Amino acid sequence: MSIDITWGRGDGAASVSTVAELDATLDTISNAHITQMPYCVTLVAPGGGDFPVMLDICIGHPERSFVYHVAVDGSSAWGYQPDVGPGPGFTFDYAGTATDAWPERTRVTNATARQAARQFLTSGGQRPDAVAWEIVE
């Protein structure tokens, strides 16, 4: 399966079908934009129907990330690691707009966010089990 990845406002787009391609793309985003604010990177699985099946993660912050998932039925959830407390406040690039990260949403390490992205790819867009989930009501 292939997923599409976008970041920034026209800054980049890629399509990947293997974990190695995903990791290389995320490394490129992180390394190329190290002097800029972190990016919200959106991964979109094909065939979502009425709702795009997607996963957002943050790339480029030295300590923390976030994970947000939208399922095929339109339900959404924020990922978190139960043993990780709220992170530092920071600003990230969300489709070209400077956006403040809520500390309670940055309860994910960079390594775990990457693991969630890998699981999203290999599961065909299912909600990853690398993190616990808080369903948005």
Side-chain angles (χ1 to χ4, degrees):
M1 180 186 92
S2 179
I3 61 171
D4 294 326
I5 303 173
T6 60
W7 61 97
R9 178 172 289 160
D11 292 341
S15 184
V16 300
S17 56
T18 68
V19 169
E21 291 171 345
L22 172 64
D23 285 340
T25 301
L26 296 178
D27 287 345
T28 298
I29 297 166
S30 181
N31 293 333
H33 304 288
I34 201 144
T35 60
Q36 299 175 24
M37 70 179 73
Y39 274 101
C40 175
V41 176
T42 301
L43 295 77
V44 180
D50 291 339
F51 298 96
V53 175
M54 57 175 256
L55 186 78
D56 284 340
I57 65 171
C58 182
I59 295 293
H61 188 272
E63 300 170 27
R64 294 295 182 98
S65 186
F66 53 76
V67 177
Y68 178 75
H69 182 263
V70 177
V72 70
D73 65 0
S75 66
S76 61
W78 286 96
Y80 67 95
Q81 291 175 248
D83 59 337
V84 174
F90 62 88
T91 301
F92 63 95
D93 180 312
Y94 181 75
T97 301
T99 304
D100 292 331
W102 302 335
E104 63 272 15
R105 298 295 184 217
T106 61
R107 293 181 53 197
V108 180
T109 64
N110 292 319
T112 300
R114 293 254 190 147
Q115 183 60 28
R118 291 179 195 113
Q119 290 176 348
F120 180 81
L121 170 66
T122 59
S123 72
Q126 296 297 311
R127 193 165 281 152
D129 64 11
V131 292
W133 294 97
E134 177 186 336
I135 305 299
V136 176
E137 303 279 340

